Amino acid sequence: RVAHPVWNLTYLVHLLVVVVVASAGWLAGRARPEGLRGLARDGLRDILWVGAAGLLVKASLQLQTTDLGFDKENALTFAVTLSAREYPDSIRVLTVQEQLQARLAAMPGVTAVGAVTQLPMSGGSGTYYYVEGQPVPEEGRRPVLQYRNATPGYLGAMKIQMARGREFTAADRVGAPKVTVINEALSRRH
């Protein structure tokens, strides 16, 4: 988390709207349609493009006022990819990750640092799950959840509020008992 704003999700949606509208044929200056059927087809296509762009603008405006469960203000995000050849085991990856986080935390203006495998609103890894003590659901009815691996400090950096329990700590490492943080929807479901 840094002391000044950078990219935000709504800017990306606005950019997407501009790209969609700019790619519509009525802005690109295409040849005139042949006959009434061509005119109707092209007119309908243009109406659909404008409608799609309008829906994206509406979604963008709604995102600006929707509580997403995290604070995107003043958050700086970036991706780090480590070569599997140079970092073949998780211990080496974790060491680099911890060193990078320490260096970032020491920078002027940085108030919080954390890492996660996928940012909110950008997908994630999925897996089937079952609840201990309950029958395992049959094929095709097994529930799926998305998960992310996160470091200590990630929830605080994103200002994600914990309803109960605790955040990850440095003691939650490879070889230690596994720790899971779930969202309220999964908690209510089970």
Side-chain angles (χ1 to χ4, degrees):
R1 190 153 292 280
V2 294
H4 53 83
V6 287
W7 289 78
N8 77 36
L9 186 59
T10 55
Y11 173 79
L12 295 176
V13 174
H14 289 153
L15 183 62
L16 182 60
V17 169
V18 170
V19 170
V20 168
V21 171
S23 67
W26 56 275
L27 286 178
R30 63 176 185 270
R32 292 183 174 253
E34 297 294 325
L36 191 55
R37 178 178 272 168
L39 184 63
R41 180 195 65 229
D42 289 357
L44 182 59
R45 181 183 59 220
D46 292 346
I47 289 170
L48 291 174
W49 274 112
V50 170
L55 288 174
L56 283 171
V57 168
K58 182 178 178 181
S60 171
L61 294 173
Q62 286 177 337
L63 273 176
Q64 291 178 28
T65 59
T66 300
D67 179 10
L68 301 173
F70 62 92
D71 184 2
K72 65 185 184 319
E73 295 301 316
N74 300 324
L76 171 64
T77 65
F78 58 91
V80 175
T81 305
L82 300 176
S83 163
R85 183 177 302 153
E86 294 178 49
Y87 301 93
D89 60 77
S90 59
I91 300 300
R92 289 186 67 188
V93 171
L94 290 173
T95 301
V96 169
Q97 180 177 293
E98 288 170 353
Q99 291 170 348
L100 178 59
Q101 285 185 252
R103 289 175 63 190
L104 289 170
M107 294 178 71
V110 174
T111 59
V113 176
V116 68
T117 52
Q118 292 285 324
L119 290 171
M121 312 297 288
S122 66
S125 299
T127 187
Y128 296 113
Y129 73 96
Y130 66 94
V131 178
E132 215 171 84
Q134 294 183 7
V136 176
E138 61 190 56
E139 185 77 30
R141 300 188 57 82
R142 295 185 294 178
V144 177
L145 60 82
Q146 280 193 0
Y147 68 91
R148 292 164 172 79
N149 297 320
T151 65
Y154 168 72
L155 297 174
M158 294 296 288
K159 296 185 179 174
I160 297 173
Q161 298 295 313
M162 296 281 293
R164 295 192 303 262
R166 66 172 179 84
E167 188 174 343
F168 301 115
T169 70
D172 300 320
R173 312 185 57 77
V174 174
K178 295 186 186 232
V179 177
T180 301
V181 174
I182 62 172
N183 64 15
E184 291 177 346
L186 186 61
S187 176
R188 282 191 302 270
R189 185 172 185 182
H190 300 290

